[in-house]
Amino acid sequence: MEISIKTARPSDLHDLAGIDRLCTQGKGLVYHYERDDFFARSRVYDKWNIFFARAGDTLVGMAAACIKKVHIACKNVFAGYVYDLRVHPSWRGQGISYKLLEQVEEYLKNEGVEYAYTYVLGVNARAKKVSKTMSMHYTGEYRVLLYPCFRKPDPGVELITGHELYNVLPEIESGLAHYDLREIVPVSLRYKEPFPGSPFLGTFRLSGSSGTTAGVWDSSVLSAKVVDRVPVLLQVVNNIPDWFKKRFKLPSIPGQGGKLVILHLIDIRQKNDNPGELVCMVREMQGFAGNRGAHLLMIHLDIKDPLFMTLKKRAVLSIKGHILMRTPVAGELPPELNSIYLDVRDF
């Protein structure tokens, strides 16, 4: 049957959400996305497009891309980030992902982007194969650091507001200046202060210190992660008393059909170079996140990031990922990158 590729419209929301539910994520812990507003994730970017594939009246795949002005190799350039590639489980192995990505490639070329990039978790062999076929080159490695969350009375973190916030924001921007793939206006400066319905909860500092700060992003505002399968080991852990889980840093994960809530720490700033203070900040943020009903606290970091080794030590789990990139010329190698900024909106 002939496959047609078209640009998604609001009237396609129901079908897009349906295929998203069918395309599960993860290996041991398996979940799918449910989005009340499918386009909410894309609207965090200034410019974006979603394409879908149909076979007759059946939606069989989709792919999205946004365009950002980012810092790469000492220049500010336009780059395209490719995301939400999905193919209906019953239609895989028929080249649909390649047709979708060819449409994305045409869109990005027409918009004049100089680079396109994406992220692939180390376990996603199918995505690696597709990316290689589309001439994407390895440009870096990152880790997804996961920390269990626990309820804690009065966690020692404070929301930064008023004059203090506007003194801190330029320091955050300065600290991120050398990162590649950093949008010209990074997330914390783009949002500045939290507002109702926003995934950005604000910039926080460790109580009693202005030297260590971090932004907080609630990804569940944009899409819910609904659990499909929980590994036996995690099922056993869920039956252990909370005090024991807290002592041994064991996570609480909702059962089948439950919603997995994750908060992200972003744009971390450490002014005084005190590793102990940074670890303390994460520990207190675990309590803050737990009080908000989150199961996990997550940080995405390039392995070359100077904060990585300190933050990895406290993580209960570290998941490997690769950063892939290409230029408009197929086969041409992209430039060598410095520490890479992992934009929380991309995840």
Side-chain angles (χ1 to χ4, degrees):
M1 184 178 293
E2 184 178 354
I3 304 296
S4 61
I5 310 292
K6 295 184 180 179
T7 300
R9 303 296 181 206
S11 58
D12 301 307
L13 186 150
H14 177 75
D15 286 345
L16 292 168
I19 195 171
D20 206 18
R21 286 192 294 269
L22 291 172
C23 296
T24 57
Q25 313 291 315
K27 292 292 184 181
L29 176 65
V30 178
Y31 63 91
H32 68 269
Y33 288 105
E34 286 192 0
R35 314 186 203 188
D36 293 332
D37 177 357
F38 183 85
F39 298 99
R41 179 189 178 183
S42 293
R43 283 199 296 268
V44 299
Y45 305 111
D46 293 329
K47 193 167 189 177
W48 52 274
N49 214 332
I50 299 173
F51 301 95
F52 65 82
R54 281 194 188 277
D57 294 329
T58 304
L59 193 145
V60 296
M62 64 181 178
C66 71
I67 297 172
K68 311 180 196 178
K69 194 170 187 180
V70 300
H71 182 83
I72 293 180
C74 301
K75 296 193 301 181
N76 294 332
V77 300
F78 286 102
Y81 168 59
V82 183
Y83 60 100
D84 274 357
L85 177 61
R86 308 273 195 267
V87 175
H88 191 295
S90 299
W91 289 80
R92 290 173 183 168
Q94 301 185 46
I96 293 172
S97 58
Y98 298 107
K99 292 179 183 294
L100 285 162
L101 288 173
E102 285 170 358
Q103 186 67 53
V104 168
E105 181 179 10
E106 182 179 347
Y107 164 66
L108 295 178
K109 283 185 176 180
N110 289 341
E111 293 292 336
V113 303
E114 296 185 47
Y115 302 96
Y117 72 97
T118 193
Y119 306 106
V120 176
L121 287 177
V123 297
N124 196 334
R126 184 184 296 112
K128 283 185 178 180
K129 180 181 177 182
V130 172
S131 299
K132 184 177 181 180
T133 303
M134 300 304 292
S135 299
M136 303 289 279
H137 296 274
Y138 170 88
T139 54
E141 185 177 311
Y142 69 95
R143 291 289 191 278
V144 185
L145 302 179
L146 295 169
Y147 308 81
C149 298
F150 310 99
R151 294 188 180 277
K152 180 179 181 180
D154 302 319
V157 291
E158 299 171 349
L159 178 67
I160 304 174
T161 59
H163 293 299
E164 183 183 6
L165 175 64
Y166 285 85
N167 288 333
V168 166
L169 288 177
E171 295 180 3
I172 294 174
E173 185 172 27
S174 176
L176 299 173
H178 70 283
Y179 284 83
D180 280 318
L181 289 187
R182 171 187 57 84
E183 195 172 25
I184 303 310
V185 181
V187 175
S188 294
L189 278 79
R190 174 180 290 271
Y191 285 84
K192 294 186 177 68
E193 298 189 70
F195 56 86
S198 169
F200 183 66
L201 303 184
T203 298
F204 292 76
R205 64 177 171 84
L206 189 64
S207 298
S209 171
S210 60
T212 302
T213 64
V216 180
W217 183 269
D218 183 357
S219 59
S220 64
V221 172
L222 302 176
S223 59
K225 296 178 177 68
V226 179
V227 175
D228 293 303
R229 187 176 71 239
V230 181
V232 173
L233 180 59
L234 285 179
Q235 292 179 33
V236 173
V237 168
N238 280 344
N239 294 320
I240 294 174
D242 287 344
W243 67 265
F244 188 93
K245 286 188 283 189
K246 186 174 182 179
R247 180 177 178 181
F248 292 98
K249 299 193 297 184
L250 301 173
S252 295
I253 300 298
Q256 184 176 358
K259 293 183 178 180
L260 180 65
V261 180
I262 298 174
L263 296 191
H264 304 251
L265 287 192
I266 64 172
D267 296 350
I268 299 171
R269 160 185 165 272
Q270 190 179 25
K271 188 176 180 180
N272 55 13
D273 194 28
N274 183 343
E277 189 170 289
L278 180 59
V279 169
C280 184
M281 175 77 172
V282 172
R283 183 174 63 245
E284 296 304 312
M285 289 305 308
Q286 287 175 266
F288 169 85
N291 290 350
R292 289 186 61 93
H295 303 97
L296 293 168
L297 188 68
M298 182 180 288
I299 304 175
H300 291 82
L301 284 177
D302 180 356
I303 60 171
K304 298 191 300 293
D305 193 300
L307 301 178
F308 171 67
M309 291 308 298
T310 299
L311 291 171
K312 180 185 177 183
K313 293 175 183 177
R314 186 169 175 81
V316 68
L317 183 64
S318 173
I319 303 173
K320 181 191 294 187
H322 295 149
I323 303 153
L324 305 175
M325 183 183 292
R326 64 161 294 177
T327 74
V329 180
E332 182 178 63
L333 290 175
E336 184 175 347
L337 302 181
N338 295 314
S339 290
I340 295 171
Y341 180 78
L342 281 296
D343 188 338
V344 69
R345 298 172 300 168
D346 295 351
F347 299 95

